[in-house]
Each structure stands twice: as structure tokens, then as C-alpha cells.
Amino acid sequence: MMKSPRFDIDLDKHYNATVVIACDCGHEVRHHLASLHPDKPLRCHCGADISMPAAALDLAQRRTEALKASYRVH
């Protein structure tokens, strides 16, 4: 089983979520959560393909909702 990538969520001033995915090389790949698709590879600066499985995207969505709830944004 493939391990889930390490990621964080950033919210912009309009509370749109960006997923920041950490590559094994140390670089970070940023992509809007709304336009991410399960298992669609993203290219890191080092040339590695990074993808997020459906379970990781679900977790990212839940983290986003929790962040928005903490800011009292719906």
C-alpha cells in the first residue's frame, strides 16, 4: 500500500484552499484543492510525480472545513 503524501492546507484571503504537498526531495508543490483529482500526478521541481489518492483528498477537504469552522467561515 502506498503511503499518503505529507501535505498542509493554506487558505487565501477569500478562504479558498491550496494544498501544499511535500516531496521527498524537500520541495513543496502547491495546487488549489478545488482542482485536484485523485491520483492525478503533479510534477515536483526535482522531476518526481506526486499524487494524492482519494483518501488523502478527503482528509484535505475535512481539514479545510475544520479550518473554516475555526475562523467561523461557511
Side-chain angles (χ1 to χ4, degrees), residues 4-66:
S4 184
R6 294 174 294 138
F7 68 90
D8 198 7
I9 304 293
D10 284 343
L11 296 177
D12 65 14
K13 66 182 181 180
H14 302 288
Y15 299 102
N16 296 315
T18 298
V19 180
V20 183
I21 307 167
C23 182
D24 291 335
C25 73
H27 286 108
E28 295 178 339
V29 177
R30 303 176 66 82
H31 201 78
H32 292 285
L33 178 59
S35 62
L36 272 176
H37 300 286
D39 300 318
K40 180 181 178 191
L42 301 171
R43 179 82 56 188
C44 178
H45 299 288
C46 72
D49 284 337
I50 303 170
S51 65
M52 291 186 68
L57 284 178
D58 288 340
L59 179 59
Q61 188 64 43
R62 287 193 307 271
R63 285 187 186 175
T64 299
E65 294 305 318

